[in-house]
Amino acid sequence: MGTIQKIVEGALFPMLTLVAGQSGTYRKVTGINVVENIDLIMFCRPNELVVTTGINIAHQNSSLEQLVKLAYSKKVAGFIVNIGPYIPDIPEAVITFANEHDFPIFQMPWDRRVADLLKTTFQFITHHQQEQSTEDKVLFNSLFHYKQHAKSIKQTLTQLGFPPNSEFAIITCTTTDIQSRIDRYEVMIQFAFQNRYKHFLKLKHKNHLIFLIDRAQLNTPNIPFSKTVEEIYDKITQKNNTLNVIIGKGNFHKDYENIRKSYDESLIVIQLAKLHNNRFLYKYKEIGAYKLIMGVENRTLIELFSQDILGQLHQYDDLHNTDYLSFLRCYLEENGSTSKISERQFIHRNTVLYKIKKIEMLLDMDLSNPFTKTNLYMAFLIEDVLAHQ
């Protein structure tokens, strides 16, 4: 995908100098528009570059600042100022605004033709649209049609910078509710991953953002993956006052044919994190005992184990319309803390103690016994796995 960063790093745009908004170089570029009048900014589209010479701008400093702010409000990719007789330099107020809002501002010398800039930008966009189409296709086939396209997948991924000896992993991002779309957070997530990874492929599939990464292509080896995810979560929470995005990462695997396996693992992480409302579950290798349960081929064996442990409580809740099963799960998750259970369940401490005694009587178990707690928790994990297979 064509981004401001690729414009900065590439050799196609020697006429442009980035002077502000360096933190916004993750923005994608899908077009370019010449705007010489504030009234024309309404015709700009998101992700376009806006160019001005200032020829029709009166009161240059304040009007240019107003034009830049309006362009930003239209969600354009960046702003190019043609420095010359109409705009001799970029006002400090514009620089400050751009830096505060991560909005890239370029300057271009007067002796460079705007027409040449337009031609180069169109070439840049066309090339990267074709590149993105290739990346989408090869990642889609790697995940869903590997056997039919194995040879071409290997060739294309190698050409795209993922050699055969790479260790691949998939990161999947989605929302926690069907009303929200992951597209809303695409730019934010991609920016975080661009800082972390030297190179990755991205695919939008249904309501998922799917990233293919290579273990060796890491910019920040001393920063854990969890920190990157938490930074994304914090920004989303600040923006929405709530967190409705979930990110899961599969294990690293060698060989192209295992890309799908990592994808499936990332989906399991998302599934379990949703189930337990656990924002701190990020990676497949962290799902612990779930791996053991999912690895048991004898489904009858684990079903009987869960039934022996929790069956009596299921029956009692069904007959008496009680909630002892959900209470017991809360009890285990809060490690038996009366105050935490009381706060979480919105019930009095005495009610908590009563329910604990009632469950002990129904199950004929001592809930303070560590071995009992282990068996109960394993039974719940088994139910989770069986319910979502």
Side-chain angles (χ1 to χ4, degrees):
M1 180 181 68
T3 62
I4 297 289
Q5 183 67 38
K6 290 184 179 179
I7 288 177
V8 174
E9 293 176 346
L12 283 176
F13 296 88
M15 72 291 284
L16 298 183
T17 303
L18 185 66
V19 295
Q22 285 84 353
S23 296
T25 55
Y26 59 86
R27 297 171 183 270
K28 62 182 178 181
V29 179
T30 59
I32 188 166
N33 207 330
V34 179
V35 176
E36 299 291 12
N37 188 297
I38 286 177
D39 294 334
L40 297 178
I41 202 72
M42 62 182 291
F43 297 106
C44 292
R45 296 181 179 180
N47 303 314
E48 285 186 331
L49 285 170
V50 172
V51 187
T52 190
T53 66
I55 190 170
N56 292 324
I57 297 178
H59 310 295
Q60 291 168 355
N61 284 8
S62 60
S63 295
L64 179 62
E65 182 181 355
Q66 185 182 0
L67 186 61
V68 167
K69 289 181 177 179
L70 287 171
Y72 173 77
S73 71
K74 296 291 288 185
K75 302 185 184 301
V76 304
F79 202 96
I80 301 171
V81 181
N82 196 189
I83 299 297
Y86 304 107
I87 304 178
D89 52 54
I90 300 175
E92 191 60 37
V94 172
I95 300 291
T96 299
F97 175 83
N99 286 330
E100 288 177 350
H101 293 82
D102 299 335
F103 185 49
I105 302 284
F106 293 91
Q107 67 179 27
M108 184 175 76
W110 188 254
D111 61 353
R112 305 307 291 264
R113 299 174 67 241
V114 172
D116 292 336
L117 172 66
L118 297 178
K119 180 180 178 181
T120 301
T121 304
F122 290 137
Q123 292 172 342
F124 170 83
I125 292 168
T126 300
H127 169 76
H128 284 286
Q129 283 176 339
Q130 293 172 344
E131 184 181 80
Q132 185 63 51
S133 176
T134 300
E135 292 179 1
D136 288 350
K137 183 177 180 181
V138 72
L139 185 48
F140 182 84
N141 286 337
S142 297
L143 294 173
F144 306 112
H145 302 291
Y146 181 79
K147 289 184 178 179
Q148 298 95 310
H149 302 279
K151 185 176 179 180
S152 64
I153 287 170
K154 292 177 181 179
Q155 291 174 343
T156 306
L157 284 176
T158 300
Q159 292 168 358
L160 291 173
F162 294 89
N165 60 348
S166 298
E167 288 187 80
F168 302 102
I170 290 290
I171 303 170
T172 302
C173 314
T174 190
T175 54
T176 56
D177 56 274
I178 59 174
Q179 288 78 26
S180 300
R181 301 299 301 170
I182 194 63
D183 308 59
R184 180 182 178 189
Y185 309 104
E186 179 181 358
V187 170
M188 186 185 301
I189 293 170
Q190 179 158 318
F191 178 53
F193 288 166
Q194 281 176 335
N195 285 337
R196 180 169 179 80
Y197 302 107
K198 297 175 183 176
H199 183 47
F200 58 76
L201 300 188
K202 183 194 72 177
L203 172 70
K204 280 194 281 188
H205 178 65
K206 297 182 179 178
N207 196 33
H208 288 171
L209 275 179
I210 304 168
F211 296 86
L212 173 68
I213 60 171
D214 176 356
R215 187 195 289 272
Q217 301 194 45
L218 190 64
N219 287 323
T220 55
N222 297 322
I223 298 176
F225 176 72
S226 58
K227 183 173 177 58
T228 300
V229 176
E230 278 304 307
E231 287 176 352
I232 294 171
Y233 285 174
D234 287 344
K235 288 180 180 178
I236 291 172
T237 303
Q238 289 170 11
K239 183 176 181 179
N240 298 341
N241 294 320
T242 186
L243 179 64
N244 63 340
V245 169
I246 193 159
I247 297 173
K249 176 176 168 293
N251 281 342
F252 283 101
H253 298 280
K254 291 184 177 180
D255 302 322
Y256 299 121
E257 56 265 33
N258 287 321
I259 291 174
R260 175 55 191 254
K261 183 176 181 180
S262 185
Y263 174 60
D264 290 339
E265 291 168 346
S266 74
L267 296 183
I268 290 171
V269 175
I270 287 173
Q271 182 185 91
L272 296 175
K274 280 184 179 179
L275 185 65
H276 292 292
N277 193 26
N278 183 357
R279 66 177 279 173
F280 301 107
L281 183 60
Y282 318 107
K283 297 186 288 187
Y284 184 76
K285 73 176 187 179
E286 295 173 346
I287 67 174
Y290 280 113
K291 287 185 191 178
L292 299 177
I293 296 168
M294 289 184 289
V296 176
E297 295 183 4
N298 189 339
R299 299 286 91 179
T300 303
L301 177 65
I302 59 175
E303 286 175 8
L304 288 174
F305 175 86
S306 179
Q307 181 64 26
D308 288 344
I309 299 293
L310 298 175
Q312 185 66 30
L313 215 53
H314 274 291
Q315 292 177 15
Y316 191 89
D317 277 350
D318 290 342
L319 287 172
H320 299 88
N321 196 28
T322 51
D323 64 347
Y324 287 117
L325 203 68
S326 62
F327 175 87
L328 177 57
R329 186 187 281 267
C330 176
Y331 172 88
L332 294 171
E333 289 174 348
E334 298 298 346
N335 198 28
S337 170
T338 305
S339 60
K340 290 181 179 179
I341 298 169
S342 175
E343 181 179 349
R344 183 169 158 184
Q345 296 266 307
F346 302 104
I347 56 178
H348 193 273
R349 181 177 181 276
N350 290 341
T351 306
V352 173
L353 296 174
Y354 168 80
K355 287 192 170 188
I356 292 171
K357 291 297 182 185
K358 183 70 173 181
I359 291 172
E360 288 182 328
M361 182 191 72
L362 289 170
L363 297 183
D364 191 23
M365 294 178 179
D366 177 6
L367 295 188
S368 65
N369 185 299
F371 187 66
T372 298
K373 288 181 181 179
T374 300
N375 285 335
L376 288 168
Y377 205 81
M378 285 294 292
F380 277 118
L381 296 184
I382 289 169
E383 287 196 347
D384 293 344
V385 170
L386 294 176
H388 292 84
Q389 283 189 331

